[in-house]
Amino acid sequence: MAGELPFEKPLGDLRRKIEELKGLSQGKGIDFSDEIARLEARCRQLEEELYNELGAAEKMHLARHHQRPTSLDFIQAIFTDFLELHGDRLFADDLAIVGGLAKLNGMPVTVIGHQRGKDTKDNIARFFGSPHPEGFRKALRLMQQADKFRRPIITFIDTKGAYPGNTAEERGQSEAIARNLREMALLGVPVVCVVIGEGGSGGALALGVGNRVLMLENAIYSVISPNGAASILWKDASKADQAAEAMKITAKDLLSFGIVEEVVPEPQGGAHRDYAQQAESIREAVWRHLQELLAMSPEELIEDRYMKFRKVGRFAFAAEAGAEQPDGPLEAPEASGQPDEAGGAAETAAPGEASAAAESARVH
């Protein structure tokens, strides 16, 4: 099977056996129909078992699959009249980020995404999908243009992280990412983000401050790549699979944390098995969320985006020293402004405080 991953080897071996028997049956005139039917039934059963019980490490490998659809693949399949725009008007055109104008079901939108290469030469030109500052500034230029002309924004996230080399640092990598975070928070148009592959670190978040964040079933999204985490924790990048299992980076995990709003299903075996089906699933989900957001005013969109990220995360109070520990996990008490049993004051938000905070962010 083309593009077979290590955990898919038993399934690949079985499929090759079926093809071998079919070839013998046609070439030699021997009837292997009963054996082929038995193996095909076993193949379907193995597929169900394999793909319904994928762990974080297996999903990480699927998210990085070299045949997985890229941003440009989805842009061509989902949108019409795509016109790519280039350059940040400051330094250069970073091919690790693509973007431009398009139509979604006839509605003008701005679409932006990280872009990996299709082969070695293309990957080198696109820095393996890891943008330089000029890439983030190009994305910001397109988003500000969309805000000016009241066009919704759709972003596709697929990067291991921002480019880590000296050239990027010299040109202000951290400042470019930070500026994107701030400016995206203040956009007065709907922003829908879709994690289509690997969403790593600030390079992913620089396109990820949206009213709605969607995620493909086998995509991953994390503050650092599993390889980077393994290098820090175990001084061994080869332990990336172990790090992936510990980091809670799958779509199911992030949905439970409230970081993403929806998990978009993938064809069995991953998005690379059926580009058209995957593109249609994304189109339907993005359009549905856009319809909700288009009913909001610019001020409501900014407030909605602010509150989305304000509520991310959970906290629990440590028990008093010497107090008996509960059997289950600690739960945070209701935020009422009254001291909790451990003597700490629960965090509370007075009416209008969130709006005031958002207004302060807009002013400063």
Side-chain angles (χ1 to χ4, degrees), residues 52-107:
N52 289 340
E53 299 177 3
L54 292 178
E58 287 82 10
K59 291 191 175 186
M60 176 186 71
H61 292 297
L62 279 175
R64 294 174 172 178
H65 198 288
H66 68 280
Q67 294 178 340
R68 194 171 178 86
T70 65
S71 292
L72 282 177
D73 290 325
F74 285 131
I75 289 171
Q76 297 295 341
I78 295 171
F79 303 91
T80 57
D81 301 320
F82 175 60
L83 174 64
E84 185 174 357
L85 301 177
H86 298 272
D88 67 341
R89 301 297 186 267
L90 292 170
F91 182 78
D93 183 32
D94 186 352
L95 299 182
I97 285 186
V98 296
L101 314 179
K103 289 183 179 179
L104 177 61
N105 294 340
M107 180 177 66

Side-chain angles (χ1 to χ4, degrees), residues 160-299:
K160 286 183 172 63
Y163 188 76
N166 289 340
T167 54
E169 297 299 332
E170 289 167 357
R171 298 200 287 271
Q173 185 75 288
S174 59
E175 186 276 340
I177 293 172
R179 184 180 294 271
N180 274 32
L181 302 184
R182 184 188 71 182
E183 297 301 322
M184 285 191 78
L186 303 179
L187 293 169
V189 294
V191 182
V192 178
C193 309
V194 188
V195 184
I196 61 173
E198 181 173 10
S201 193
L205 196 57
L207 297 187
V209 184
N211 298 89
R212 302 290 183 270
V213 179
L214 317 181
M215 193 168 173
L216 297 195
E217 182 181 357
N218 294 318
I220 60 174
Y221 200 19
S222 58
V223 69
I224 188 173
S225 72
N227 304 73
S231 296
I232 293 170
L233 295 175
W234 295 289
K235 311 299 181 186
D236 185 357
S238 67
K239 293 188 177 180
D241 286 6
Q242 185 176 344
E245 296 290 350
M247 290 170 64
K248 305 295 183 184
I249 60 177
T250 68
K252 181 179 178 181
D253 293 324
L254 295 171
L255 183 66
S256 70
F257 298 150
I259 295 172
V260 302
E261 277 68 46
E262 182 176 341
V263 176
V264 180
E266 295 189 22
Q268 191 172 65
H272 59 286
R273 299 292 180 203
D274 193 331
Y275 281 30
Q277 179 184 338
Q278 188 63 78
E280 187 56 36
S281 297
I282 294 174
R283 184 210 304 271
E284 186 278 326
V286 169
W287 183 250
R288 178 162 32 83
H289 285 282
L290 273 182
Q291 296 313 296
E292 297 175 8
L293 297 171
L294 287 168
M296 299 183 186
S297 68
E299 293 75 19

Side-chain angles (χ1 to χ4, degrees), residues 115-137:
Q115 180 62 27
R116 295 178 289 107
K118 288 289 192 177
D119 52 36
T120 301
K121 183 179 179 181
D122 197 20
N123 264 317
I124 291 172
R126 298 184 186 278
F127 300 100
F128 293 83
S130 295
H132 281 67
E134 51 268 25
F136 297 122
R137 291 172 181 142

Side-chain angles (χ1 to χ4, degrees), residues 134-153:
E134 51 268 25
F136 297 122
R137 291 172 181 142
K138 173 169 71 172
L140 179 58
R141 179 175 74 84
L142 298 181
M143 288 187 279
Q144 290 174 332
Q145 181 195 75
D147 193 36
K148 177 179 180 179
F149 292 103
R150 316 304 307 157
R151 288 192 301 267
I153 299 168

